Amino acid sequence: MASLVLLQDGQAIPHSLIGQGSVLGRHPECEIQINSNMVSRKHARVFAQDGLFYIEDLGSGNGTFVNSRKIEAPTALNHEDRIKLGPILLRFESDQPAARPGSPTVVPRKPVLDPMATLGVDLGEDDEGDGATIMGQTDGVSGFGRLEVQPEAKLKAVLEISRSLAGTVDLNAILPRMLDSLFNIFPHADRGCVLLKDTVTGRMIPRAMKHRRSGDDETVKLSRTVLKAVLEQKAAVLSADATNDARFEASESISNLTIRSMMCVPLLSLAGEPMGVIHIDTQNAFNQFKNEDLDLLVAVAGQAALSYESAKLLVTAMEKAKQDSEMGIARDVQHALLPEEMPSVPGWEFFASYDSAQAVGGDYYDCLRLDDNRICIAFGDVAGKGVPASLVMSRLSSIVMNVMAFLSDVGEAAARVNNQMCAKAVEGRFVTFVLGVLELDSGKFTHINAGHMPLMIRKADGSIVEIGEAEIGCPLGVMEDYPYDVIEYVLAPGEMAVIYTDGVSEAMNPNSDLYGMERIREIVAGCNSGSAAELGKTLREDVRRHAAGRDQNDDITMMVFGRKG
C-alpha cells in the first residue's frame, strides 16, 4: 500500500494512492487537492508502473522537488522520499521495494527523521566531519545565562514567559504558549519550533511549531551542525546570516537552508542536561538577530525549561494521586470479596488476618456456610503480588463460590476449580490452594492441598502435627484434570488448625533474616489461651516484631479455626 502524506499546518494528512495515477494540484478535480495559491491547478502526477511509483511535473509554475532537487522527468519514488510543491511538503510512504537500477531518473533518497517531517521540521543532511565551525555562540549555557547583561530586558522577558505559562499543566499546550510568548519578546521572528529529546531513543522530536504569518506553509529548517553544537556543548548558537555566513560555508545543510538569521538555544533540565532546544529564525534581511538577542533568549529558555519541568512534575504528581485513588478503590473491592466476619458457631472459633504487601494482593480466604452442619474453608496464595495477583484472586473467589454452591465432594470440587483456572490461565500465575469442608458435629475436616504448606494442627497439650504432606498436589492453573488426593482429619476438642501463606514464613527483618517455619511452630505451640483469635493475633504480632519496620516483601495471610475444649 502506498500513500502521500500531506504535511500542512502542523498536521500529517495521508492520501492513499489507488489506481494508475493521482494528480496533485489546486483544481477541485485533482485526486489530491492542495489548497495553496503557490500550487498550480494541476501541478504534478504520481503514477504506478512495473510495481514502482513515479512522480512527474505537469508544467507547474513553481516546480516539483524530490528530496530538495527539482525534477525535470518522471522520477521513481522510494519510501519516505520528500516531495515539495511550492511551499507544500509531502512524504511518500510505501511498503514496496526500493527502485530498481535502470529506472528513469531515480533521485537518491535523503535520510529523514519521520517525527521531524510529521510536524513540518526539516533537518538538513548529516554534515558531520564536513569541517564546519561555529563561532557565533555562547559558552556552555547554565540556568538563566549572564543576568548582568541587559538585566532589565531579561527580567521583563522572564516575567513575560512566566506569566504566559503560569498555571498550565497541559504539556501539549505549554510549548505552543511558550512560542507565542517568544514571538512577543522577539517581534521580528518569523518561524520557531521546540524540539524535545525522547528519553528512550535519544532522538530530537518536534513538539511545537509556529509561523508569524497565518497560512505560511514554509517548513521550519534546522541544521545538524547547529543542533549538534547546542546539544553536545550546551551552547547557544547565533548565525547573523546562515546563507552567506563564511563560518558555515563548508556545511551543505546550512547553505541550503535559506535562513537570514537564526538562534538555537538548549533547554536544560534541573540536572543541567539538555532536554530539548528552542529554535527561532527570521527571513527578513533587515532584522537580523544580535548577540544581545541571544543572551535574552538564553534567559527566557532557562525560565521556559523550569516551567516545563515544573508542569511535568505536577502532571506526574496528579497522575500518581489518581492512581493512588484508583488503587484505593481496588483495595476496597478486593476486601469486599473477603468475608466481612468469620462464622459464629457454638463450640467453634474462627479467625483470619490479611495484610497485603501493596494496595492489593493475591492472597485469598473464605468461609462459606454450606448448611447447618458444614462450612467450606478455602485458602489460597496466587504467585506474585500486586494488581496482577489480585485479578487472579478475584477470579478464584468467584469460581469457588459457584462450584461449592453445587458440589459437596471436595475432590470433585477441587478438580472443577482447577480446570476453570486452567481454562484461562495467565502464564506464571498459578495458585497454591487448600479447599476443605468442616463438619461441625463430628469435627471432621475433609480437604485437598494444591501445592500449599501442610495444615498445622495444635493439639490440646500444645504439641504440633502437620498433616497431608504426602498428599500435596499440583497448584491450581498448572495441569488440567489433575486428580487431587482427599485428606481427612478429625479435630478433637481443644485442637486448632492453622493455615498460612509463605508471606508469614518468609517475612524478613532489616538483616534479611527469614521468620522461618520453626518460629511459627514455636509461637503456635507456646500459645496456651485455647482461643483461635488469640493464637492468630499472637502469631501476626510476632511476625511484625520480627520485621522490625522492614517493608513487606509478600502478602501475609493466616487463618486459625478450632474446636473449643
Side-chain angles (χ1 to χ4, degrees):
M1 186 68 180
S3 63
L4 283 178
V5 180
L6 175 63
L7 308 170
Q8 192 173 19
D9 298 329
Q11 296 183 334
I13 306 172
H15 294 274
S16 298
L17 298 175
I18 302 174
Q20 294 300 312
S22 299
V23 177
L24 294 77
R26 198 173 70 249
H27 197 280
E29 294 181 357
C30 293
E31 283 77 11
I32 301 178
Q33 186 181 9
I34 300 174
N35 186 18
S36 173
N37 57 11
M38 301 295 290
V39 175
S40 300
R41 291 168 59 84
K42 293 187 178 181
H43 196 112
R45 183 173 75 102
V46 176
F47 60 94
Q49 180 177 316
D50 299 329
L52 299 177
F53 280 87
Y54 297 82
I55 185 169
E56 64 175 341
D57 187 79
L58 300 179
S60 65
N62 290 319
T64 301
F65 296 81
V66 176
N67 297 328
S68 302
R69 298 187 182 183
K70 188 174 183 179
I71 64 172
E72 304 294 342
T75 301
L77 293 172
N78 289 316
H79 178 58
E80 290 190 341
D81 274 347
R82 292 172 296 169
I83 301 169
K84 196 172 184 182
L85 312 179
I88 303 300
L89 188 66
L90 302 100
R91 183 176 68 248
F92 176 73
E93 293 185 350
S94 175
D95 52 7
Q96 70 179 5
R100 297 187 301 271
S103 298
T105 320
V106 176
V107 179
R109 184 163 60 108
K110 297 177 71 177
V112 177
L113 290 180
D114 181 71
M116 298 288 190
T118 300
L119 196 59
V121 176
D122 186 8
L123 196 62
E125 289 279 15
D126 188 358
D127 42 32
E128 183 176 346
D130 57 11
T133 58
I134 298 177
M135 303 298 292
Q137 66 183 57
T138 67
D139 294 330
V141 174
S142 61
F144 298 90
R146 298 175 296 174
L147 294 177
E148 69 276 8
V149 179
Q150 296 181 278
E152 298 87 354
K154 287 185 176 178
L155 178 59
K156 182 179 179 181
V158 168
L159 290 176
E160 166 76 18
I161 198 81
S162 300
R163 183 168 51 251
S164 67
L165 302 182
T168 306
V169 295
D170 184 356
L171 295 180
N172 293 324
I174 195 170
L175 296 179
R177 289 177 64 174
M178 185 186 300
L179 288 176
D180 290 340
S181 298
L182 289 175
F183 273 45
N184 291 332
I185 296 169
F186 300 100
H188 50 291
D190 289 324
R191 302 175 303 188
C193 66
V194 179
L195 284 74
L196 297 180
K197 182 179 293 186
D198 187 276
T199 55
V200 178
T201 64
R203 296 171 63 183
M204 298 302 297
I205 308 297
R207 297 299 187 190
M209 183 178 67
K210 180 177 176 64
H211 298 283
R212 171 79 60 184
R213 295 176 294 276
S214 60
D216 188 355
D217 299 323
E218 186 65 27
T219 301
V220 176
K221 301 178 181 180
L222 286 81
S223 162
R224 290 183 186 270
T225 301
V226 171
L227 195 58
K228 181 178 180 181
V230 171
L231 294 176
E232 294 185 357
Q233 303 174 28
K234 302 179 186 178
V237 175
L238 164 68
S239 175
D241 192 339
T243 56
N244 301 315
D245 196 334
R247 294 170 307 187
F248 300 118
E249 61 184 3
S251 174
E252 179 186 353
S253 67
I254 295 181
S255 63
N256 288 335
L257 294 183
T258 64
I259 297 174
R260 287 296 178 186
S261 184
M262 56 78 66
M263 293 188 295
C264 189
V265 302
L267 288 169
L268 300 181
S269 66
L270 295 176
E273 294 301 319
M275 63 179 183
V277 299
I278 297 177
H279 172 98
I280 60 175
D281 64 54
T282 177
Q283 292 181 303
N284 190 326
F286 300 100
N287 286 315
Q288 298 183 354
F289 295 120
K290 301 178 177 60
N291 285 327
E292 50 265 33
D293 294 322
L294 187 64
D295 282 334
L296 187 59
L297 184 57
V298 169
V300 171
Q303 180 60 39
L306 181 62
S307 298
Y308 184 76
E309 283 227 309
S310 298
K312 282 179 62 179
L313 292 174
L314 182 57
V315 169
T316 301
M318 293 170 61
E319 291 176 349
K320 178 66 166 58
K322 181 181 178 182
Q323 291 175 357
D324 290 344
S325 175
E326 292 176 347
M327 290 302 294
I329 296 172
R331 179 184 62 247
D332 294 341
V333 171
Q334 186 179 39
H335 284 186
L337 298 175
L338 302 175
E340 292 186 5
E341 58 182 20
M342 300 302 286
S344 178
V345 181
W348 289 86
E349 281 191 302
F350 297 85
F351 171 83
S353 173
Y354 173 78
D355 292 318
S356 60
Q358 300 177 12
V360 292
D363 287 358
Y364 158 73
Y365 69 88
D366 206 348
C367 288
L368 305 172
R369 193 71 181 260
L370 301 180
D371 53 40
D372 291 340
N373 187 50
R374 295 183 306 147
I375 292 179
C376 170
I377 292 178
F379 192 92
D381 182 4
V382 180
K385 52 185 177 290
V387 174
S390 71
L391 295 175
V392 177
M393 173 268 189
S394 63
R395 183 164 181 262
L396 174 62
S397 172
S398 174
I399 292 173
V400 170
M401 292 184 66
N402 289 329
V403 169
M404 294 308 298
F406 300 99
L407 294 176
S408 58
D409 182 86
V410 172
E412 185 179 355
R416 185 72 60 85
V417 171
N418 176 57
N419 283 348
Q420 291 196 40
M421 293 297 292
C422 287
K424 295 183 179 179
V426 178
E427 185 177 355
R429 297 292 172 181
F430 60 86
V431 185
T432 63
F433 185 60
V434 174
L435 179 66
V437 173
L438 176 65
E439 297 178 5
L440 300 175
D441 56 357
S442 64
K444 184 171 72 171
F445 184 56
T446 305
H447 67 284
I448 63 95
N449 190 323
H452 204 76
M453 281 78 72
L455 208 67
M456 186 177 291
I457 305 294
R458 184 191 187 277
K459 293 184 172 294
D461 60 3
S463 60
I464 300 294
V465 295
E466 296 177 43
I467 61 173
E469 185 171 0
E471 290 82 11
I472 294 177
C474 187
L476 301 182
V478 175
M479 183 182 298
E480 196 171 0
D481 295 328
Y482 184 88
Y484 290 99
D485 293 331
V486 176
I487 308 163
E488 291 186 0
Y489 183 85
V490 178
L491 287 166
E495 291 186 348
M496 287 183 288
V498 181
I499 315 175
Y500 54 92
T501 62
D502 57 7
V504 176
S505 58
E506 296 178 1
M508 291 189 289
N509 63 14
N511 296 325
S512 298
D513 300 322
L514 294 177
Y515 188 74
M517 295 293 301
E518 278 304 316
R519 190 158 177 175
I520 296 177
R521 297 186 183 101
E522 290 175 6
I523 294 298
V524 172
C527 185
N528 298 316
S529 67
S531 166
E534 187 66 27
L535 173 56
K537 292 177 182 178
T538 300
L539 179 59
R540 182 181 62 192
E541 293 306 314
D542 193 62
V543 172
R544 290 174 178 173
R545 279 194 298 272
H546 172 79
R550 175 167 176 163
D551 292 338
Q552 286 180 229
N553 60 303
D554 201 356
D555 305 325
I556 296 176
T557 307
M558 61 187 73
M559 180 188 287
V560 181
F561 61 94
R563 201 169 181 181
K564 294 181 179 179

